[in-house]
Amino acid sequence: MSSVPETPAVDGTPVGSAHTGSPLVELTPAAAGLLRRLHHTHGPLMFHQSGGCCDGSAPMCYPDGEFRTGGSDVLLASLAVEGVEESVPFWMSTSQYEVWRHTRLIVDVVEGRGSGFSLEAPEGVRFLIRSRVI
């Protein structure tokens, strides 16, 4: 079983690769396909999951750098997406990380309208987190 850190890394090294030896975040084929389409329209992308208002714990997709991260955020993964040159960083608030740190997060896509802040909102779909205890 993988060891998950009590305290997240804050040096820009993804927590999953630095501490567990396995990814803490992965993409379904549907999520990867949507990211390719969004990248074609918006350029480099990023995710942030805060657990705050709006869609609660739904991952929000933004143009890379549009959402400001800081000391209260953890970089969980740099996601490789086939057909996209840049990796897609996946950030989470530290408070959310404390709740989710024993799970593998699986980014998926479902039909339905999510938050107006996330790039996929006009597509009629939304990103969703599925999870598995690690």
Side-chain angles (χ1 to χ4, degrees), residues 5-57:
E6 294 295 321
T7 306
V10 292
D11 64 358
T13 302
V15 171
S17 58
H19 298 284
T20 68
S22 63
L24 290 180
V25 184
E26 56 189 70
L27 299 168
T28 64
L34 180 55
L35 286 171
R36 279 190 289 278
R37 290 193 311 274
L38 292 173
H39 181 271
H40 178 75
T41 303
H42 301 282
L45 303 169
M46 68 178 287
F47 277 110
H48 188 274
Q49 183 170 330
S50 69
C53 69
C54 306
D55 277 338
S57 60

Side-chain angles (χ1 to χ4, degrees), residues 38 42 45-48 50 52-56 58-63 66-67 113-122 125-127:
L38 292 173
H42 301 282
L45 303 169
M46 68 178 287
F47 277 110
H48 188 274
S50 69
C53 69
C54 306
D55 277 338
M60 307 293 260
C61 184
Y62 302 101
E66 185 172 298
F67 186 92
R113 186 151 162 71
S115 170
F117 298 119
S118 196
L119 290 175
E120 80 281 2
V125 295
R126 62 188 178 96
F127 287 109

